[in-house]
């Protein structure tokens, strides 16, 4: 299987991860925060985002470089750690209780996810592989963390970023590495 096919199918996983993350918003609004329904969506989304976050880098590898790779690793690891906490809800009947390990894990996970998201937003904007308005969704997601009336919608905007980027990757409507290489090669052969 070629890298382009792997990227394409990971794009589909990005879409599914985004849909699951978006599902947290209505579940939280209807059944309440930290309800079984919301945490089910959160667990599924975290697992799928842990798998597919690397794809947000693979689709723009050449343009984003090391910073894009660091962002993808931070997002993947952060989502996997989040998934472990959500799994604990189903295994033990409650979310992890505050304690030394939980406090250390959360103090590393949440800033790591925030830094990974910021880095990905910046390198995606600079790479010009995806439409520039995608970074506006990233910004809206980050703003929803601090604006009280948007706080309940954070998961929606987070999922939306994965859905639009995943859709663009899966359908091939982005400036892929091979299409840029082909253009360069054709320009060189024309000269």
């Amino acid at each position: 299987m070629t890298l382009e096919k792997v990227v394409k199918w990971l794009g589909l996983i990005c879409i599914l991860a985004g849909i699951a993350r978006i599902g947290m918003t209505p579940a939280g609004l209807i059944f309440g925060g930290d309800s079984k329904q919301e945490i089910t969506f959160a667990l599924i989304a975290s697992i799928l985002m842990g798998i597919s976050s690397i794809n947000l880098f693979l689709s723009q590898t050449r343009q984003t470089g090391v910073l894009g790779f660091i962002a993808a690793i931070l997002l993947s690891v952060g989502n996997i750690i989040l998934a472990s906490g959500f799994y604990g809800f189903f295994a033990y009947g409650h979310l992890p209780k505050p304690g030394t390990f939980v406090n250390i894990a959360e103090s590393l996970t949440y800033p790591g996810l925030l830094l990974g998201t910021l880095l990905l937003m910046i390198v995606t904007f600079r790479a010009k592989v995806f439409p520039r308005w995608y970074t506006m969704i990233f910004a809206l997601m980050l703003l929803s963390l601090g604006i009280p009336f948007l706080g309940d919608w954070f998961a929606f905007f987070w999922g939306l970023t994965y859905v639009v980027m995943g859709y663009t990757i899966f359908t091939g409507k982005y400036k892929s590495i091979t299409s840029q290489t082909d253009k360069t090669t054709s320009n060189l052969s024309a000269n």
Side-chain angles (χ1 to χ4, degrees):
M1 186 174 274
T2 66
L3 179 62
E4 293 233 336
K5 284 186 181 179
V6 170
V7 168
K8 177 181 178 176
W9 288 105
L10 282 174
L12 181 62
I13 295 174
C14 282
I15 294 170
L16 296 174
I19 291 169
R21 188 68 74 190
I22 288 171
M24 286 178 63
T25 299
L29 293 172
I30 294 168
F31 300 106
D34 295 339
S35 64
K36 194 172 203 169
Q37 294 83 357
E38 183 185 32
I39 300 224
T40 301
F41 279 112
L43 175 63
I44 294 167
S46 294
I47 291 169
L48 293 174
M49 284 182 170
I51 294 167
S52 65
S53 289
I54 194 70
N55 199 38
L56 304 178
F57 164 70
L58 288 175
S59 58
Q60 50 186 347
T61 305
R62 184 175 293 150
Q63 297 86 349
T64 60
V66 175
L67 288 178
F69 180 71
I70 291 170
I73 294 299
L74 286 171
L75 289 171
S76 290
V77 170
N79 275 299
I80 290 167
I81 293 171
L82 281 178
S84 67
F86 296 133
Y87 170 77
F89 178 82
F90 294 104
Y92 305 111
H94 55 80
L95 289 170
K97 294 180 180 171
T100 305
F101 178 75
V102 172
N103 293 344
I104 291 171
E106 286 180 353
S107 68
L108 294 174
T109 302
Y110 296 126
L113 281 168
L114 181 63
L115 179 62
T117 302
L118 279 170
L119 278 175
L120 185 64
M121 180 178 75
I122 292 166
V123 298
T124 298
F125 182 79
R126 293 181 65 200
K128 300 177 186 171
V129 172
F130 294 98
R132 294 213 176 226
W133 63 268
Y134 285 14
T135 57
M136 297 308 293
I137 299 172
F138 275 106
L140 191 56
M141 175 186 68
L142 293 172
L143 284 174
S144 69
L145 280 171
I147 299 175
F149 65 89
L150 282 179
D152 292 337
W153 293 87
F154 170 72
F156 174 81
F157 296 122
W158 189 2
L160 187 60
T161 59
Y162 274 74
V163 169
V164 296
M165 291 183 84
Y167 173 78
T168 305
I169 293 167
F170 185 71
T171 58
K173 294 182 178 182
Y174 67 104
K175 299 173 187 168
S176 67
I177 296 167
T178 54
S179 68
Q180 292 171 358
T181 306
D182 293 343
K183 287 179 186 175
T184 305
T185 307
S186 65
N187 286 343
L188 290 175
S189 61
N191 293 333

